[in-house]
């Protein structure tokens, strides 16, 4: 018999809201090197094409501004720009960088939007390479990183390129993309939707049967015996950062694509994944990465101090042990 799933429901929702009518429409596509999926409630005569265009258009805007993989993006152009130049950031880029700075500061630099050169040095950037970087290359990359080098004109949006600073917003931009798609759907008068980009999710409103959007929290492959956790995404987002998705192995060691900017090395504590539940998907995304860098002890302690709902899966022998923050436990019932 499979174990009974555990259920997380935000306290604010009624157990069974009234049925609304309408039907579920499914949309899917590709963006940011991954796939997206949207489920929404509308009448059966919904004109699908304008909705699909609104979704894809929102994600295209995020890529055009913040992709490290698209050499023509605003971010890629900033990264290549000569020292001493100032760059007026477009709206989304500016909003994401402001949030990234806040998370960098509050996480003591565990999250760092300026880790681009380090990400590249370890081969997780747009230029593929495998193996350990040479000490000189690593030292050079470390010298270029540092969120305190971010210098935005007071009251403006013009960001200074101090020389060699390489932004990487991959740990937060997907979550922002989810939020932006959700806002565009709201603006189209679509009040009930579930938006997913590359595993990061946001749910708004309810399904035609009055139930919220239920999602199962992702479990890493090797947790086959683990109990599933179901989450009611009613005005909530969920994001996961984990080394079971992207890593390389060298001489028996597993190297994560998440870098600890404080020493320039891939994280190597025993965390398999960190899941954060937050109203904003952008914050859920950034904090799941930040806590992943901090590790099982410091990550959990900071989640508790900041009231973040977080679940950490820690490698323990062949299996995984779960650690939950107080705010995560408060969602359980
Ligand atoms: P995520 O899957 O959301 O945890 O994002 C991981 C991606 O964020 C990596 O592939 C890098 O591009 C970037 N990254 C790696 N380490 C950091 C860090 N310490 N702070 C911010 N971004 C990072
Ligand atoms: Mg993230």
């Amino acid at each position: 018999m499979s174990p009974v799933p555990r259920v997380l429901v935000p306290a604010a929702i009624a157990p069974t809201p009234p049925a609304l009518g309408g039907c579920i429409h499914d949309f899917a596509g590709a963006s940011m090197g991954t796939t997206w999926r949207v489920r929404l409630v509308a009448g059966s005569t919904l004109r699908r094409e304008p909705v699909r265009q609104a979704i894809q258009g929102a994600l295209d805007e995020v890529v055009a501004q913040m992709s490290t993989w698209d050499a023509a993006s605003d971010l890629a152009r900033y990264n290549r720009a000569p020292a001493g130049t100032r760059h007026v950031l477009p709206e989304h880029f500016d909003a994401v960088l402001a949030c990234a700075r806040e998370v960098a500061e509050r996480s003591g630099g565990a999250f760092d939007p300026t880790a681009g050169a380090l990400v590249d040095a370890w081969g997780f950037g747009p230029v593929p390479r495998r193996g350990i970087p040479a000490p000189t290359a690593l030292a050079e990359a470390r010298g270029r990183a540092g969120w305190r080098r971010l210098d935005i004109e007071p009251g403006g949006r013009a960001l200074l390129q101090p020389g060699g600073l390489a932004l990487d917003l991959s740990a937060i931009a997907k979550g922002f993309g989810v939020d932006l798609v959700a806002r565009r759907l709201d603006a189209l008068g679509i009040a009930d939707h579930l938006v997913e980009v590359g595993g990061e999710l946001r749910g708004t409103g309810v399904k035609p049967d009055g139930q919220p959007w239920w999602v199962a929290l992702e479990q890493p492959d090797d947790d086959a015996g683990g109990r599933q956790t179901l989450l009611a995404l009613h005005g909530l987002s969920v994001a996961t950062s984990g080394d079971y998705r992207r890593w390389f192995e060298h001489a028996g060691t597993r190297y994560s694509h998440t870098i600890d900017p404080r020493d320039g090395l891939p994280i190597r504590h025993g965390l398999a994944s960190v899941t954060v539940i937050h109203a904003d998907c952008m914050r859920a995304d950034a904090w799941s990465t930040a806590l992943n860098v901090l590790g099982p002890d410091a990550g959990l302690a900071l989640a508790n101090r900041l009231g973040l709902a977080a679940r950490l899966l820690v490698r323990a022998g062949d299996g995984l042990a779960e650690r939950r923050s107080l705010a995560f436990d408060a969602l359980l019932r």
Side-chain angles (χ1 to χ4, degrees):
M1 206 181 75
S2 60
V4 179
R6 202 170 45 185
V7 170
L8 287 94
V9 185
I13 69 168
T16 313
L20 298 173
C23 52
I24 296 182
H25 299 261
D26 285 294
F27 296 83
S31 183
M32 305 187 206
T34 183
T35 55
W36 61 260
R37 231 167 74 100
V38 169
R39 315 197 76 197
L40 58 86
V41 179
S44 55
T45 57
L46 175 78
R47 285 175 56 228
R48 290 180 55 90
E49 189 47 25
V51 176
R52 195 201 62 76
Q53 279 177 20
I55 298 166
Q56 189 67 54
L59 296 174
D60 289 351
E61 285 172 35
V62 176
V63 169
Q65 295 187 17
M66 285 172 263
S67 174
T68 42
W69 305 77
D70 175 356
S73 76
D74 295 300
L75 181 145
R77 276 190 286 132
Y78 169 87
N79 286 355
R80 287 194 305 268
T85 52
R86 277 202 182 266
H87 305 261
V88 176
L89 305 184
E91 187 190 349
H92 305 323
F93 190 170
D94 184 57
V96 171
L97 189 62
C99 178
R101 269 181 101 158
E102 181 194 310
V103 176
E105 183 160 13
R106 297 176 88 188
S107 68
F111 183 91
D112 192 336
T114 70
L118 284 166
V119 172
D120 286 347
W122 284 97
F124 293 112
V127 182
R129 58 171 296 277
R130 279 269 174 275
I132 317 275
T136 47
L138 203 54
E140 194 253 354
R142 282 190 74 184
R144 289 170 57 190
W147 64 274
R148 289 178 200 280
R149 296 182 76 205
L150 289 169
D151 174 341
I152 298 182
E153 220 172 35
R157 299 217 295 245
L159 178 66
L160 175 73
Q161 171 53 274
L165 195 63
L167 299 179
D168 181 335
L169 296 174
S170 301
I172 182 172
K174 254 194 308 177
F176 174 83
V178 169
D179 291 336
L180 188 64
V181 168
R183 287 203 295 270
R184 294 283 162 87
L185 293 172
D186 290 340
L188 290 174
I190 297 165
D192 305 289
H193 41 78
L194 178 68
V195 179
E196 184 250 332
V197 180
E200 325 294 28
L201 289 141
R202 179 177 177 127
T204 310
V206 290
K207 292 184 292 181
D209 64 1
Q211 280 286 315
W213 303 100
W214 287 99
V215 299
L217 292 197
E218 197 174 17
Q219 305 277 3
D221 305 340
D222 49 358
D223 191 36
R227 209 152 71 114
Q228 213 184 28
T229 301
L230 298 178
L231 167 65
L233 279 188
H234 189 261
L236 284 181
S237 302
V238 60
T240 297
S241 176
D243 75 354
Y244 59 95
R245 282 203 199 131
R246 270 190 82 203
W247 47 274
F248 70 88
E249 222 163 87
H250 177 84
T253 302
R254 181 189 265 233
Y255 289 88
S256 168
H257 69 131
T258 303
I259 313 290
D260 188 337
R262 298 166 303 176
D263 63 10
L265 305 176
I267 54 172
R268 42 204 182 284
H269 46 59
L271 263 184
S273 75
V274 180
T275 297
V276 171
I277 300 166
H278 197 285
D280 297 334
C281 201
M282 169 167 74
R283 287 194 159 74
D285 191 359
W287 277 111
S288 62
T289 305
L291 300 181
N292 192 19
V293 173
L294 286 168
D297 299 323
L300 187 65
L302 186 62
N304 281 331
R305 201 153 6 103
L306 298 178
L308 292 166
R311 180 198 66 166
L312 294 74
L313 293 179
V314 187
R315 290 185 203 288
D318 283 346
L320 292 167
E322 183 185 69
R323 296 206 194 165
R324 301 185 302 267
S325 70
L326 298 170
F328 189 95
D329 266 342
L331 289 171
L332 277 177
R333 67 158 204 213

